[in-house]
Amino acid sequence: MNAPIGVIDSGVGGLTVAKEIMKRLPNETIYYIGDTARCPYGPRTRQEVRNFTWQMAKALEKMNIKMLVIACNTATAVALESLQRNMPFPVLGVINAGARAAVKKTKRHEVVVLATEGTIKSGAYEEALMSLSTSTQIIPLACPTFVPLVESGEYKGDFANNLIAEGLKPLKNEQFDTVILGCTHYPILQKQIEAVVGEDVFVLSSAEETAKDVQEMLAYNGTLADSDAVPAHKFYATGSVPIFRSIAENWLEQGTLDIKRISLK
């Protein structure tokens, strides 16, 4: 019951999911791996993303986690099913959660999906959305500059605002009432994205819905933490620890974090 929940991402983006899990399940311990050295995953081949995702999952398996959350849309699209078939613990992704939240929220059934090139090419969001509502009109848009912007830590200020506005220009003449942030890095840019698309558009991430899925799965399996002790979260980065620390401590607001460098094979 008190084993950790594993969370993996191509970099710092999955911290948006980790934050919602911490908020909803404050007694749970999280072990997080961000593959910052090989981020972004969006432009990579499906086989590369699958291999990298498996490496992170196997590393966390050795740490005796009780559940794995793939907090990366690109990795979810290519590796979720194989991990669910082969891992000895439950594995959840973020795409179905995001699609479910959008279908609940949209009034006009006009939904924009902002994501990496890899996620857009996979068609995973279209498939998930259409399985829930065949009347939904979907406008997919790849935003390849957004992940490097977040990973650099330079995601505030005029340069960032201009880059985001430029990336969203293709939406200028489109009609929509809901935007899915189909990459877990994008909620860190949510306020800037909302400023561009306008106050009449609802912008959502899959993080909150994913945290609900985690709670429901643990409750169903009878593995919710039963300890009132303060959880000892651990964070691992394959790249620069100082950059990861700066972003993670700013975003999670948890004080000084236990962060180490990890090598994956």
Side-chain angles (χ1 to χ4, degrees):
M1 287 183 184
N2 296 319
I5 298 168
V7 180
I8 57 176
D9 183 62
S10 63
V12 300
L15 294 170
T16 60
V17 176
K19 185 174 185 176
E20 289 299 328
I21 296 172
M22 291 174 184
K23 193 184 300 182
R24 180 168 282 272
L25 299 167
N27 295 330
E28 298 290 348
T29 298
I30 290 176
Y31 285 6
Y32 181 102
I33 297 180
D35 193 8
T36 51
R38 299 182 293 197
C39 185
Y41 280 7
R44 292 188 177 274
T45 66
R46 291 175 64 87
Q47 191 57 51
E48 280 182 310
V49 174
R50 187 177 290 110
N51 290 345
F52 297 165
T53 307
W54 266 89
Q55 288 171 0
M56 290 188 285
K58 295 297 285 184
L60 286 171
E61 182 183 17
K62 292 175 183 175
M63 298 180 200
N64 299 313
I65 61 171
K66 63 182 176 183
M67 165 185 261
L68 178 65
V69 180
I70 309 176
C72 172
N73 288 267
T74 306
T76 296
V78 303
L80 176 63
E81 291 182 7
S82 63
L83 284 168
Q84 285 177 327
R85 286 196 303 269
N86 292 284
M87 283 297 168
F89 39 69
V91 183
L92 294 177
V94 287
I95 289 176
N96 285 337
R100 197 165 60 244
V103 168
K104 286 179 184 176
K105 198 68 188 177
T106 184
K107 300 252 188 325
R108 303 203 311 260
H109 301 282
E110 298 165 340
V111 177
V112 166
V113 178
L114 302 181
T116 66
E117 295 166 282
T119 300
I120 295 298
K121 286 177 184 174
S122 75
Y125 264 103
E126 286 91 332
E127 183 179 339
L129 285 163
M130 294 303 288
S131 72
L132 296 168
S133 171
T134 55
S135 63
T136 301
Q137 301 297 310
I138 304 160
I139 305 164
L141 177 62
C143 302
T145 60
F146 287 9
V147 170
L149 178 64
V150 172
E151 289 288 329
S152 72
E154 303 296 325
Y155 51 85
K156 295 179 182 178
D158 290 341
F159 173 77
N161 294 342
N162 291 336
L163 192 70
I164 292 164
E166 186 66 28
L168 299 177
K169 265 188 178 177
L171 299 178
K172 188 175 181 181
N173 297 316
E174 299 286 356
Q175 298 294 317
F176 54 93
D177 70 349
T178 303
V179 172
I180 300 175
L181 301 178
C183 170
T184 50
H185 284 74
Y186 296 0
I188 294 176
L189 310 174
Q190 185 161 346
K191 288 183 180 177
Q192 292 115 304
I193 292 170
E194 288 172 339
V196 175
V197 299
E199 59 184 19
D200 294 334
V201 175
F202 186 79
V203 179
L204 63 88
S205 83
S206 57
E208 187 175 343
E209 202 73 18
T210 301
K212 290 179 188 176
D213 287 351
V214 169
Q215 183 178 34
E216 288 171 6
M217 179 66 74
L218 292 176
Y220 178 80
N221 290 331
T223 52
L224 284 165
D226 64 356
S227 171
D228 289 331
V230 177
H233 305 306
K234 294 184 179 181
F235 299 84
Y236 301 90
T238 60
S240 167
V241 168
I243 293 175
F244 184 94
R245 179 180 298 282
S246 173
I247 297 169
E249 291 183 351
N250 177 64
W251 181 254
L252 295 177
E253 300 173 313
Q254 294 269 321
T256 302
L257 300 175
D258 181 357
I259 304 174
K260 295 183 175 68
R261 183 87 177 265
I262 190 171
S263 179
L264 298 174
K265 295 179 181 178

